[in-house]
Amino acid sequence: MVFTVLCILLVFFALIALSIGHYSYDPRDVLRTLWETISPGDLSDPAMGMVLFNIRIPRVAAAVLVGAALSLSGAVYQGVFKNPLVSPDLLGVSSGACVGAAAAVLLGLGMVQQQVLAFAFGIIAVTISVTIPKLIRNNTNLMLVLAGIITSGFMSSVLGVMKFVADEETELSAIVFWQMGSLTTVDGIDVVAVSPIAIICVVVLIALAWRLNILSFGEVEAKTLGVNVKLMRGIIIACASCLTASTVCISGTVGWVGLVIPHLSRLLVGSDHRRSLPTALLLGGVFMLVIDTLARTLTSSDIPLSILTGLIGAPFYAWLLYRQRQANLL
């Protein structure tokens, strides 16, 4: 029932997002234009078709992709590390992506190169976080978390140096705006470029949901049940990190989504990852679609996504914690 309702909500809000904006259309006209596109013949309103297929459909697809990816990654990280306070940027992927994007801005590179560098530095940051426990021969979850904190702190310092030397009029504002997250410049090519990596990672993570249930019991119990903990944890973390990096590189840093949505997913369907992961996937897509629609329609200019996710996500997260406390008392 929850899964069906979320699918309906996703389609509904996608239609609303396609219909409203600086040029608003009747949802029935939008549906008619979409139908005319797949049927033979010319469009009755070519201008609407241009707006839909060049601007709004790519942005709606990007919003759903980013929200779903961050929510699924957050749910996976919280399951692997058995910590409800964990978010997708735990191992420094977001900090590394910020450094890559800032480097592209300082070098005067284009948007495509900026996205490539953001993805590459995000993966480099995760690689550093995973390598540190191996160098000191301590592969526990706690050491991996500490390594992520070390990497994030280092990347944040590097980013601070870049901001210090950036030109205040142009480069600094571009770096700060990217850090706050936005889908303003996303087009169809960006969505197509990151979709294969994202889809592969989503399929792998959903397929390993039952293994994630076993890992949530603890390393000793998982080994007793015959699970190769090191290999399985490595595959899950690698897929979740690639999923986060592939979406962050087109949207910038978007906070709270990967932290709040997994909690709401578990509240709706329970802690079984076979149900909570698909639910988090859909719920994150719906949430980010609503946030992005508000970001581009509330004012004449786009509001950075992290502002709205923080304004909505922080109070909602506090309410979830209060609700959970009341349930424990009962």
Side-chain angles (χ1 to χ4, degrees), residues 167-226:
D167 181 79
E168 294 182 3
E169 298 294 331
T170 56
E171 297 172 340
L172 182 59
S173 59
I175 294 173
V176 173
F177 188 76
W178 195 92
Q179 278 189 278
M180 300 174 74
S182 176
L183 296 174
T184 305
T185 59
V186 171
D187 55 22
I189 297 176
D190 297 330
V191 177
V192 172
V194 302
S195 292
I197 298 176
I199 291 174
I200 292 173
C201 293
V202 167
V203 171
V204 172
L205 292 175
I206 296 296
L208 295 177
W210 66 282
R211 293 292 183 101
L212 190 57
N213 283 339
I214 299 176
L215 290 179
S216 299
F217 295 147
E219 293 188 14
V220 177
E221 290 79 0
K223 290 179 180 178
T224 304
L225 294 173

Side-chain angles (χ1 to χ4, degrees), residues 56-199:
R56 291 190 183 172
I57 289 180
R59 182 155 180 171
V60 166
V64 173
L65 180 64
V66 171
L70 293 178
S71 301
L72 181 61
S73 299
V76 168
Y77 273 122
Q78 290 175 9
V80 168
F81 294 102
K82 296 175 290 183
N83 189 337
L85 300 178
V86 167
S87 60
D89 56 354
L90 173 69
L91 300 182
V93 60
S94 295
S95 301
C98 286
V99 171
V105 171
L106 293 179
L107 294 174
L109 302 179
M111 184 58 63
V112 175
Q113 293 86 349
Q114 180 178 336
Q115 294 170 357
V116 171
L117 283 181
F119 178 83
F121 274 83
I123 297 300
I124 289 173
V126 175
T127 303
I128 294 174
S129 299
V130 174
T131 304
I132 291 176
K134 293 181 180 180
L135 293 178
I136 61 178
R137 297 181 181 179
N138 186 347
N139 291 320
T140 61
N141 282 344
L142 177 60
M143 184 53 61
L144 191 57
V145 171
L146 294 176
I149 294 174
I150 293 171
T151 304
S152 296
F154 177 77
M155 290 294 179
S156 297
S157 298
V158 174
L159 181 63
V161 174
M162 291 181 171
K163 287 182 178 180
F164 182 76
V165 301
D167 181 79
E168 294 182 3
E169 298 294 331
T170 56
E171 297 172 340
L172 182 59
S173 59
I175 294 173
V176 173
F177 188 76
W178 195 92
Q179 278 189 278
M180 300 174 74
S182 176
L183 296 174
T184 305
T185 59
V186 171
D187 55 22
I189 297 176
D190 297 330
V191 177
V192 172
V194 302
S195 292
I197 298 176
I199 291 174

Side-chain angles (χ1 to χ4, degrees), residues 222-296:
K223 290 179 180 178
T224 304
L225 294 173
V227 176
N228 188 334
V229 175
K230 184 183 298 185
L231 176 63
M232 194 55 54
R233 186 176 63 182
I235 293 175
I236 292 174
I237 290 176
C239 289
S241 300
C242 286
L243 184 60
T244 302
S246 63
T247 52
V248 167
C249 72
I250 65 172
S251 67
T253 305
V254 182
W256 289 99
V257 180
L259 179 63
V260 176
I261 299 301
H263 281 273
L264 182 57
S265 173
R266 288 191 294 271
L267 182 65
L268 292 174
V269 298
S271 58
D272 187 346
H273 289 94
R274 293 174 297 177
R275 298 179 180 178
S276 64
L277 293 188
T279 302
L281 189 76
L282 285 174
L283 198 58
V286 172
F287 178 75
M288 185 53 65
L289 184 56
V290 173
I291 290 294
D292 183 61
T293 303
L294 293 175
R296 63 183 177 83

